[in-house]
Amino acid sequence: MDSNSRKIFQENFKEIHPPLRPEEALVEANRCLYCYDAPCVKACPTHIEIPRFIKQIASGDLAGSAKTILEANAFGHSCARACPVEVLCEGACVYHDWQEKPISIALLQRRATDEANLVGLEPFEPGPDNGFSVAVVGGGPAGLACASYLRRLGYAVTLFDREKDLGGLNTHGIAEYKMTQKVSADEIKRILALGVTVKKGVEIGRDADPEDLLSGFDAVFLGIGLGETKRLGIPGETLRGVWDALSFIRHVKNRDLKPLGQSECTVIIGGGNTAIDAATQAKRTGAARVVLAYRRAETDMSAYEFERALARTDGVEFLLNAAPLRVLGKKKAEGVEFARTAVKNGKVIELRGSRITVECDRVIKAVGQAKQISVAKTLGLELRPDGRIAVDPRTLRSSHSKVFAGGDAISGGKEVVNAAADGKRAAYGIEKTLRPGAALPPGNEYWVSTIEGRRVAPIPPRSEEMAHA
Amino acid sequence: MPKATPDLSTNCAGIKSPNPFWLASAPPTNSGEQIMRAFEYGWGGAVWKTLGQDPPVINVTSRYGSLDVGGSKIAGFNNIELITDRPLEDNLKEMLAVKKRFGDRAVIASLMVPCERQAWHDITAKVMDAGADGIELNFGCPHGMSERGMGAAVGQVPEYVKMVTEFVKEKSSIPVLVKLTPNVADVRYAARAAKAGGADGVSLINTINSLMGVNLDTLTPKFAVGGKAAHGGYCGPAVKPIALNMVSQIATDPETKGLPISGIGGVSTWSDAAEFMLLGSSSVQLCTAVMHYGFRIIEDLNAGLENWMAGKGFKTLSDFIGVSAPNVTEWKHLNLHHKTVAEIDAKKCIGCQLCYVACNDTAHQCIAVKSNGKNGTSSRVPYVVQEDCVGCNLCSLVCPVEGCITMKPVETGHKPLTWDEYVKNGMTGYKEVYKRVHG
Ligand SMILES: Cc1cc2nc3c(=O)[nH]c(=O)nc-3n(C[C@H](O)[C@H](O)[C@H](O)COP(=O)(O)OP(=O)(O)OC[C@H]3O[C@@H](n4cnc5c(N)ncnc54)[C@H](O)[C@@H]3O)c2cc1C
Ligand SMILES: Cc1cc2nc3c(=O)[nH]c(=O)nc-3n(C[C@H](O)[C@H](O)[C@H](O)COP(=O)(O)O)c2cc1C
Ligand code: SF4
């Protein structure tokens, strides 16, 4: 890395949520009310027992706290940074009812898992070999989470990923000021220590036939995520200086800024969280001006409110109700021509005679990722109309009895935490399918109980023995 | 290779349980249904809400009160509840059912009847038939029952303690614990009496006499019953140090040393429990923390104790039960030549100056701040004039920032000298290790 890049990362990519000092964490942990049947637990897709892990921090049991977190969420270390907690656990905190600041759940989660990471805690063990083998396709959060729970159940797991670095978008996608690749790498290291056979650089469907997985393994889990960024379908899209958001962000994450060049003005096209991430990171890597253009109104953007606020703080300009018509330029992008739009009956319409041009030297497309359907097609899996793999919501089994799927491939694009929850659910789905009626090997009861949210000891009806009372 | 997890099982006075955490005799153990639910969560044992003779007692409504400190709820807890108000037969039937379903857990029957041999014999036989693993004699209840000559009224008179313990031991073939009251000048007398009466162990503490306050609007006592209050029994986090002291006294008293102890009083977390055990308890009982948060806390208690043991390399509870007790001694055996001084970590200091005012107004006037403006500094960070520091700890206690003020041992170079030795030496040999006069 050259000195300029180093300076950029030091100054502009400081962690957006720096860690709590131990004593701050104690104060915050003691603020938690330890609610029963807590709303935060329900709001977490992996149903981490949040009040419990927080009280464990308060009592000085950081190892126990980290274990509580990682039992329910194999990506708990990453999620402590990556999760949009404002709309998940922290958004559900009962303190909101008092108009008070919710508990800083993410930072407390981080306190516990950072410590666990520091001391090299390996909280779990592989289960005794049960004679079954599973192929996991995709080493993102869904695939890795699934692999970790399968190992704990005693399955032999072979994980395939076409990339040479595992972690999927958890490694290559999360905004650099939220989380560095080191965090993802640490998470993966802990999971792989359970004994997963990893085949990197192997793309199923290109380097290996999906059908072979069916004959070679007792079950297959597809955690293949989504495909490439969608095309805009407008002239000029192939000019130099036109980037897709994922490759742009990947360069930032790899701290490899050279290929991105300098930019006087970058135009981002899109209205989701990825568009925001592209905009903020374009700004932070030195673009003098960043314009985020979206076809509809701001309230229609799928980007979270706090993400939009962040972009504003970073100095990103919003160009709303503007649909791109073409990228201008001969060899290199020199601007984007937009039509002003309005929304009528839910449809975007172009206002006549309203075209405007924004001059720029870089365009980043962030209009969503396409579905990746070829593997599913080869296996003859039923797809939903929008291309997502259809699954049974309880077991995450697809239309093929041996094939399970989870993560972005079934959700169409959610968060790391959703993918991790899917991986967990699918592991149990596989267990129920391959070993119906079998007792869980010891050490697995707890995480299984978190799949639907933990038992909160329903106050039981009085038993027979008590009936007289 | 599965890692070896520490073994949490215990044997307290012959009463065995898979972990040392028992529910204390109180509302959480009011019924079989509650105890079964607690056992499902993983509690190691339960001491049944104290049983007595029929007809059962009558309770008042408005029963509990609490002391909240600085926004922290229930730092101390008060109650004026009596023993069980349910018929003995119901309780015994349920006890049998609990034991049937949870054979591996400890079920201990807490008992309180008038001081008559026959009454104690009868109830002892009944709870043995109901399958109890042990008996706890409630000589501690400080309110209501004591007015009727039971509870603390027994526990405060060592002769009665011995006598009633003997009554029960005559009949009982299961272990007998005597639950002691802290409402005495010296708890060791009752413990010795219990031992003399044949008790297999003691449990302590029961609650401490208390009155929770006065309502400044109505001018009636707080948590009153129709405007009138009776003193209650105090427990919860605030009483832990009192309980720890009494436990350590019994653990170190030459006459009761080795007598099994079930520690009670202000246990909220695994670390509180570990402290009770280090001072000699082979089981711990909880009431207030459970009443505050529910049975679910057992999971954290077990996990925390287990992780701490693993970190310390302890494989079983006996590896550490009682190991700290010998370090509790009498004042006269403390080293007069030991010296510590306070040190403020300027990097951590947030400039609240609480230590500054505490030391100057109420301790030994040895914390200073560089005067503002002068010397080109306007720092709010105080510093310790260590030559003058007597090592009292006050500053470190008032400091809100963890680890900001630490007490540093100072090598004095003087041979250890205790008060005992000093007196024996004819009041000679002491070298001043701190300044006793204002400079
Ligand atoms: C720019 C961006 C920012 C994001 N920011 C956040 C955030 O801040 N917080 C958050 O919680 N979520 C965020 N997300 C979403 C999150 O990253 C994803 O929801 C999550 O990573 C999905 O996990 P997954 O395992 O389903 O898929 P992926 O993470 O996409 O992983 C799929 C893996 O499968 C591999 N693969 C695919 N096909 C094959 C094949 N045929 N053969 C072999 N291997 C294959 C891929 O190489 C990849 O490693 C962001 C997403 C993007 C795009
Ligand atoms: C509401 C209440 C009722 C109690 N009832 C009894 C009782 O019936 N018998 C008894 O031995 N102790 C009784 N106790 C005392 C507890 O068993 C225990 O000794 C005491 O609360 C200290 O423990 P703690 O600090 O964990 O609460 C009671 C305590 C409370 C708060
Ligand atoms: S806890 Fe509240 S609702 Fe329950 S008995 Fe007591 S006063 Fe009544």
Side-chain angles (χ1 to χ4, degrees):
Chain A
M1 208 171 13
D2 59 67
S3 66
N4 187 43
S5 300
R6 195 168 301 126
K7 199 165 152 230
I8 284 177
F9 282 103
Q10 258 169 23
E11 290 181 3
N12 301 348
F13 284 85
K14 288 195 191 106
E15 285 184 290
I16 192 162
H17 300 301
L20 295 174
R21 281 181 284 125
E23 55 271 27
E24 288 175 317
L26 258 188
V27 171
E28 187 64 6
N30 280 309
R31 215 165 64 84
C32 170
L33 299 174
Y34 198 51
C35 298
Y36 184 65
D37 200 10
C40 51
V41 181
K42 293 193 174 131
C44 169
T46 59
H47 305 307
I48 297 173
E49 276 197 292
I50 293 160
R52 179 171 178 207
F53 93 67
I54 292 179
K55 283 299 147 190
Q56 286 176 304
I57 293 176
S59 79
D61 182 15
L62 287 173
S65 178
K67 197 170 167 195
T68 300
I69 294 161
L70 298 171
E71 278 271 11
N73 183 349
F75 270 73
H77 188 47
S78 305
C79 281
R81 293 141 167 104
C83 271
V85 286
E86 294 85 343
V87 297
L88 297 173
C89 52
E90 291 184 17
C93 180
V94 299
Y95 270 107
H96 287 293
D97 285 7
W98 276 343
Q99 315 297 330
E100 278 200 38
K101 192 170 104 44
I103 301 297
S104 297
I105 297 169
L107 288 176
L108 287 172
Q109 182 165 325
R110 177 168 173 182
R111 165 84 183 110
T113 63
D114 277 3
E115 178 72 18
N117 201 48
L118 205 66
V119 302
L121 183 77
E122 283 180 18
F124 311 116
E125 290 156 27
D129 184 4
N130 66 10
F132 290 99
S133 66
V134 181
V136 171
V137 184
L144 281 163
C146 188
S148 78
Y149 294 107
L150 287 170
R151 285 299 299 138
R152 292 178 62 187
L153 289 165
Y155 291 85
V157 177
T158 307
L159 182 141
F160 302 88
D161 200 299
R162 62 184 175 206
E163 302 279 347
K164 60 180 202 316
D165 294 322
L166 295 184
L169 287 170
N170 194 55
T171 302
H172 302 295
I174 312 293
E176 187 69 1
Y177 46 80
K178 287 187 195 162
M179 187 175 119
T180 62
Q181 292 181 334
K182 163 93 167 56
V183 176
S184 189
D186 287 343
E187 193 102 81
I188 295 163
K189 192 169 142 218
R190 191 193 65 246
I191 291 171
L192 296 185
L194 289 164
V196 180
T197 307
V198 179
K199 307 264 189 215
K200 290 185 203 171
V202 179
E203 178 166 341
I204 302 300
R206 188 191 66 194
D207 309 317
D209 187 349
E211 307 259 5
D212 289 348
L213 299 180
L214 292 179
S215 46
F217 295 89
D218 298 299
V220 176
F221 176 78
L222 297 179
I224 53 178
L226 295 170
E228 295 186 345
T229 303
K230 286 184 203 151
R231 291 175 42 78
L232 295 168
I234 58 172
E237 204 170 342
T238 51
L239 289 173
R240 225 167 6 104
V242 180
W243 290 84
D244 78 86
L246 293 192
S247 346
F248 180 84
I249 290 168
R250 185 183 276 238
H251 278 292
V252 177
K253 298 279 309 169
N254 289 339
R255 304 202 161 195
D256 173 22
L257 299 184
K258 262 238 172 77
L260 300 179
Q262 299 282 350
S263 171
E264 279 307 309
C265 177
T266 298
V267 168
I268 317 285
I269 296 172
N273 292 311
T274 299
I276 301 275
D277 285 359
T280 51
Q281 291 177 104
K283 192 81 192 170
R284 286 164 191 246
T285 48
R289 181 176 179 220
V290 174
V291 178
L292 187 146
Y294 178 55
R295 294 188 306 156
R296 298 169 183 255
E298 180 166 354
T299 45
D300 298 320
M301 291 175 79
S302 61
Y304 299 121
E305 198 181 330
F306 57 87
E307 293 283 13
R308 303 197 310 261
L310 176 70
R312 285 225 160 76
T313 317
D314 278 5
V316 173
E317 297 165 39
F318 282 50
L319 175 61
L320 297 162
N321 292 307
L325 296 170
R326 57 193 174 115
V327 181
L328 306 168
K330 294 228 164 58
K331 282 188 176 148
K332 227 186 139 299
E334 288 169 10
V336 182
E337 189 182 14
F338 292 96
R340 301 312 307 242
T341 63
V343 178
K344 222 178 194 169
N345 300 329
K347 276 217 154 83
V348 178
I349 54 156
E350 183 185 333
L351 298 176
R352 265 203 286 170
S354 68
R355 299 196 169 179
I356 53 164
T357 296
V358 177
E359 278 179 36
C360 69
D361 49 21
R362 183 159 67 195
V363 178
I364 302 177
K365 302 180 285 179
V367 289
Q369 291 168 261
K371 307 292 182 305
Q372 212 203 141
I373 53 180
S374 67
V375 174
K377 279 232 165 113
T378 315
L379 292 172
L381 306 185
E382 190 190 313
L383 296 178
R384 299 208 189 280
D386 64 359
R388 289 178 291 152
I389 301 170
V391 290
D392 167 2
R394 273 183 316 114
T395 58
L396 302 194
R397 187 161 71 174
S398 72
S399 59
H400 189 298
S401 63
K402 281 179 84 169
V403 180
F404 296 73
D408 282 357
I410 66 163
S411 68
K414 280 190 175 169
E415 315 290 342
V416 172
V417 65
N418 301 93
D422 286 352
K424 177 172 72 171
R425 183 180 287 275
Y428 188 58
I430 290 169
E431 167 79 352
K432 283 279 152 210
T433 306
L434 292 184
R435 303 182 348 112
L440 280 177
N444 285 279
E445 296 80 5
Y446 183 84
W447 70 260
V448 168
S449 76
T450 64
I451 294 174
E452 306 294 348
R454 257 206 105 196
R455 162 188 71 109
V456 289
I459 313 298
R462 295 194 164 211
S463 60
E464 282 295 294
E465 301 133 328
M466 303 291 136
H468 67 274
Chain B
M1 252 297 279
K3 288 169 226 160
T5 43
D7 177 6
L8 295 190
S9 67
T10 196
N11 180 342
C12 179
I15 305 169
K16 297 193 180 93
S17 61
N19 64 59
F21 299 106
W22 298 353
L23 291 168
S25 174
T29 60
N30 241 330
S31 67
E33 187 270 313
Q34 287 166 281
I35 293 175
M36 288 204 204
R37 198 138 43 82
F39 283 173
E40 266 168 33
Y41 271 105
W43 285 88
V47 186
W48 211 280
K49 172 75 187 170
T50 303
L51 306 175
Q53 284 177 334
D54 284 338
V57 302
I58 300 165
N59 271 306
V60 289
T61 84
S62 180
R63 300 180 189 179
Y64 315 142
S66 98
L67 179 77
D68 302 343
V69 178
S72 249
K73 299 284 284 182
I74 310 194
F77 193 65
N78 170 74
N79 86 90
I80 53 166
E81 206 173 83
L82 304 181
I83 62 174
T84 184
D85 57 8
R86 306 175 62 226
L88 184 60
E89 268 323 296
D90 290 0
N91 280 307
L92 295 174
K93 246 193 241 168
E94 294 174 9
M95 194 177 287
L96 207 55
V98 170
K99 265 321 281 186
K100 214 166 98 198
R101 220 168 105 193
F102 292 95
D104 65 328
R105 311 303 167 87
V107 173
I108 297 108
S110 168
L111 304 180
M112 187 197 289
V113 292
C115 289
E116 296 150 15
R117 174 179 261 122
Q118 195 56 44
W120 284 100
H121 280 187
D122 288 350
I123 198 159
T124 298
K126 283 186 175 153
V127 297
M128 280 166 55
D129 286 347
D133 300 296
I135 290 173
E136 188 178 86
L137 308 183
N138 180 348
F139 295 163
C141 186
H143 47 263
M145 301 314 289
S146 53
E147 294 169 14
R148 304 172 202 182
M150 293 182 269
V154 179
Q156 285 162 341
V157 185
E159 292 73 28
Y160 291 170
V161 170
K162 176 164 178 286
M163 176 182 80
V164 176
T165 308
E166 281 167 353
F167 292 164
V168 175
K169 283 301 286 184
E170 285 161 9
K171 194 80 188 171
S172 176
S173 58
I174 54 177
V176 176
L177 298 171
V178 171
K179 185 165 177 180
L180 302 176
T181 175
N183 299 311
V184 291
D186 187 337
V187 77
R188 285 175 291 198
Y189 293 102
R192 288 172 194 161
K195 189 176 177 196
D200 299 279
V202 288
S203 42
L204 70 160
I205 59 174
N206 210 311
T207 53
I208 304 171
N209 290 342
S210 56
L211 187 78
M212 295 310 282
V214 178
N215 182 320
L216 297 186
D217 288 328
T218 61
L219 311 187
T220 54
K222 277 189 185 160
F223 309 108
V225 179
K228 288 216 164 16
H231 81 264
Y234 197 51
C235 52
V239 310
K240 187 180 95 174
I242 298 169
L244 285 177
N245 176 49
M246 292 188 170
V247 164
S248 75
Q249 280 184 302
I250 293 171
T252 54
D253 179 12
E255 290 189 40
T256 52
K257 209 164 153 179
L259 184 66
I261 299 172
S262 181
I264 319 170
V267 177
S268 303
T269 66
W270 64 269
S271 56
D272 299 328
E275 292 173 58
F276 271 90
M277 293 162 89
L278 285 163
L279 290 175
S281 309
S282 41
S283 74
V284 281
Q285 301 184 26
L286 289 84
C287 167
T288 303
V290 188
M291 293 185 73
H292 197 164
Y293 294 118
F295 296 136
R296 60 192 164 136
I297 64 171
I298 184 59
E299 296 182 329
D300 305 1
L301 294 169
N302 277 331
L305 187 63
E306 196 175 293
N307 290 331
W308 173 75
M309 285 173 68
K312 284 273 170 207
F314 296 136
K315 293 187 180 64
T316 64
L317 301 186
S318 49
D319 290 348
F320 69 93
I321 287 174
V323 305
S324 303
N327 291 329
V328 182
T329 180
E330 287 174 278
W331 199 98
K332 63 183 181 203
H333 300 311
L334 303 178
N335 179 10
L336 300 171
H337 280 156
H338 174 73
K339 181 175 167 81
T340 63
V341 294
E343 194 168 283
I344 298 173
D345 182 343
K347 283 199 294 297
K348 287 191 170 159
C349 177
I350 55 175
C352 69
Q353 296 192 348
L354 288 174
C355 59
Y356 176 57
V357 70
C359 183
N360 282 290
D361 282 1
T362 70
H364 300 89
Q365 299 80 43
C366 54
I367 296 186
V369 277
K370 296 211 174 88
S371 57
N372 286 357
K374 277 191 198 157
N375 312 327
T377 170
S378 60
S379 169
R380 286 189 55 85
V381 178
Y383 63 96
V384 177
V385 183
Q386 291 186 335
E387 312 84 89
D388 293 347
C389 173
V390 307
C392 75
N393 296 352
L394 180 64
C395 53
S396 73
L397 302 178
V398 300
C399 178
V401 180
E402 179 108 345
C404 175
I405 303 185
T406 44
M407 303 303 299
K408 300 277 178 215
V410 176
E411 197 38 75
T412 57
H414 307 318
K415 248 182 33 219
L417 175 75
T418 67
W419 174 259
D420 215 20
E421 292 160 346
Y422 177 66
V423 173
K424 283 191 190 127
N425 293 346
M427 306 289 219
T428 61
Y430 176 66
K431 315 259 185 358
E432 297 284 332
V433 298
Y434 69 93
K435 273 196 198 158
R436 273 190 280 175
V437 280
H438 289 291

